[in-house]
Amino acid sequence: MKLALLGGLSARQFLRRYWQKRPLLVRGALPGFRGVASRAQLAALAGRPDVESRLVRRRGGRWHVVHGPLECTGLARNATLLVSGVNLHRAAADALLRRFHFLPQARLDDVMVSWAGTGGGVGPHVDSYDVFLVQGAGRRVWRLQRPRAWRMVEGAPLRLIADFAPDEEFLVEPGDVLYVPPGWGHDGVALEECQTCSVGLRAPLGEELAAAFLDFLHERGLPRARYRDPGLRPARHSAQIPAAMFAHAAGVLARIRWTRRDVGEFLGRYLTTPKPHVVFFPPRRPLPRAAFARRLRRAPVALDRRSLMLYRGAQVYLNGEALVARPALRALADRRSARLPSSLAETAYGWYLSGYLHLE
Ligand code: SIN
Ligand code: CO
């Protein structure tokens, strides 16, 4: 199926030709698109302590960064306000993220929105993940350079490329989408006040996965065997670590085991655990259990936009919880809205009370 978002390419063609290989500019990918939040809404988000935001400003050759919460009434020349995770707060940003449904949800991260004054930008930099730069109101020039061994600016508050020498330049207008693969240098400068929505992908580092997996093993239970040494002899060199103590440690660590099933469960929980600042809002006046069950028979449920729901094999994961996958739960995870059978009413009621899903 050809997708207008991809300039008439099918998802398969885009993935084969461009994905993690080369940039793609799609002119008019989203006709009429002007952004996902007004200036006032972005400024209000930037003022909240539970929202990650930054104000970046270039003065001459120097960059200044202030981290949120920010009080932001207007934008100076050469300044950019960046707000992360806008999809958690604004339905339009969530809808933009969901347009990328041809990618696995496990790969989608968030929608970051930048609002730049004339000349604003974050400087030439490189990201370690793929990004779709969706241009809202206003025009911007993007300069791109293929991956190489970059020399970075030392001591800068942003990860800036010192020897940026772009080999491509694009002037983007509202509704254009520029796909930038990981490792490509890019620099966007606002020609006038403008909004850019970065649909960012998620690519966990092996080291992050491993550290989180060790925490998972810890929570699940590690060997408790305490060291004992009833046959201890007087110490001749009192600072020396006893050989028996080393053997004990090596033996305990060698007993830590895991299966592919543990890895599956860990990954499902890890990928669906909401970011630390995410807050769910329970319904203000919740329906009683029986009324909820009656409504469930007639109406589909929809996942809250903050909910993360994935599945693998016989397990489904919702916001870090694991349970047995049923076809209706897989459908809910894929489409984010589904009819649930009454056998799931009890489970669904718990999620409804937690604010994880809503009745449509
Ligand atoms: C921006 O919107 O100014 C920066 C987005 C990016 O480079 O990822
Ligand atoms: Co970037």
Side-chain angles (χ1 to χ4, degrees), residues 125 127 131 186:
H125 66 282
D127 296 319
V131 63
H186 53 289

Side-chain angles (χ1 to χ4, degrees), residues 132-179:
F132 292 89
L133 300 159
V134 184
Q135 186 62 17
R139 294 171 308 150
R140 159 166 260 173
V141 172
W142 282 104
R143 295 188 180 88
L144 266 61
Q145 189 180 359
R146 59 183 58 255
R148 52 185 287 253
W150 309 102
R151 194 162 53 77
M152 306 309 284
V153 178
E154 275 173 39
L158 297 159
R159 284 195 64 241
L160 295 173
I161 300 173
D163 51 355
F164 187 59
D167 27 50
E168 282 177 281
E169 179 174 309
F170 305 103
L171 192 159
V172 296
E173 298 190 344
D176 292 349
V177 173
L178 176 62
Y179 163 70

Side-chain angles (χ1 to χ4, degrees), residues 8-334:
L9 293 175
S10 67
R12 190 179 298 278
Q13 287 168 328
F14 166 74
L15 294 173
R16 204 176 47 225
R17 293 185 206 160
Y18 297 95
W19 180 249
Q20 306 216 313
K21 296 170 197 75
R22 57 183 68 87
L24 173 68
L25 171 67
V26 181
R27 296 229 176 260
L30 294 171
F33 184 78
R34 289 292 176 276
V36 293
S38 68
R39 262 192 267 165
Q41 287 163 340
L42 279 180
L45 284 173
R48 285 170 49 166
D50 60 335
V51 176
E52 209 185 304
S53 63
R54 280 173 300 161
L55 186 65
V56 177
R57 184 151 186 216
R58 178 170 54 81
R59 275 205 206 102
R62 294 178 73 88
W63 294 82
H64 303 266
V65 182
V66 185
H67 291 268
L70 300 157
E71 212 176 288
C72 190
T73 45
L75 259 199
R77 243 188 116 72
N78 298 343
T80 301
L81 172 69
L82 299 124
V83 183
S84 299
V86 177
N87 54 300
L88 301 171
H89 307 283
R90 307 281 325 157
D94 180 56
L96 177 64
L97 186 67
R98 304 291 161 206
R99 294 188 81 116
F100 292 82
H101 55 79
F102 58 90
L103 300 170
Q105 289 183 47
R107 287 287 266 123
L108 297 178
D109 188 8
D110 76 336
V111 178
M112 180 188 79
V113 180
S114 71
W115 168 33
T118 305
V122 298
H125 66 282
V126 56
D127 296 319
S128 48
Y129 45 81
D130 314 75
V131 63
F132 292 89
L133 300 159
V134 184
Q135 186 62 17
R139 294 171 308 150
R140 159 166 260 173
V141 172
W142 282 104
R143 295 188 180 88
L144 266 61
Q145 189 180 359
R146 59 183 58 255
R148 52 185 287 253
W150 309 102
R151 194 162 53 77
M152 306 309 284
V153 178
E154 275 173 39
L158 297 159
R159 284 195 64 241
L160 295 173
I161 300 173
D163 51 355
F164 187 59
D167 27 50
E168 282 177 281
E169 179 174 309
F170 305 103
L171 192 159
V172 296
E173 298 190 344
D176 292 349
V177 173
L178 176 62
Y179 163 70
V180 182
W184 281 69
H186 53 289
D187 183 21
V189 179
L191 292 186
E192 60 227 4
E193 210 176 289
C194 81
Q195 181 174 136
T196 305
C197 304
S198 303
V199 176
L201 277 291
R202 175 176 193 182
L205 262 179
E207 127 184 79
E208 280 160 23
L209 281 175
F213 184 60
L214 293 175
D215 283 345
F216 168 83
L217 291 179
H218 186 189
E219 267 172 43
R220 202 191 52 174
L222 290 172
R224 296 210 64 205
R226 186 173 311 274
Y227 182 57
R228 298 252 183 271
D229 49 3
L232 186 67
R233 306 251 184 85
R236 270 204 286 152
H237 304 284
S238 66
Q240 194 174 41
I241 296 172
M245 195 172 247
F246 172 80
H248 171 81
V252 163
L253 295 181
R255 273 168 51 201
I256 302 172
R257 293 266 185 276
W258 60 85
T259 61
R260 288 175 65 82
R261 206 188 148 115
D262 295 325
V263 174
E265 174 166 352
F266 153 72
L267 193 61
R269 288 183 188 269
Y270 175 78
L271 292 172
T272 61
T273 296
K275 291 182 185 170
H277 54 269
V278 172
V279 181
F280 288 92
F281 297 95
R284 249 184 254 144
R285 270 176 283 124
L287 291 172
R289 188 179 302 262
F292 176 85
R294 274 198 303 280
R295 284 279 301 278
L296 198 65
R297 267 183 247 133
R298 295 197 306 271
V301 291
L303 288 176
D304 182 80
R305 60 174 166 265
R306 299 163 192 84
S307 279
L308 297 170
M309 190 175 195
L310 300 172
Y311 59 84
R312 182 182 173 275
Q315 294 274 282
V316 42
Y317 307 92
L318 174 61
N319 298 333
E321 288 175 19
L323 76 160
V324 175
R326 306 260 305 265
L329 293 178
R330 290 203 186 103
L332 177 61
D334 279 330

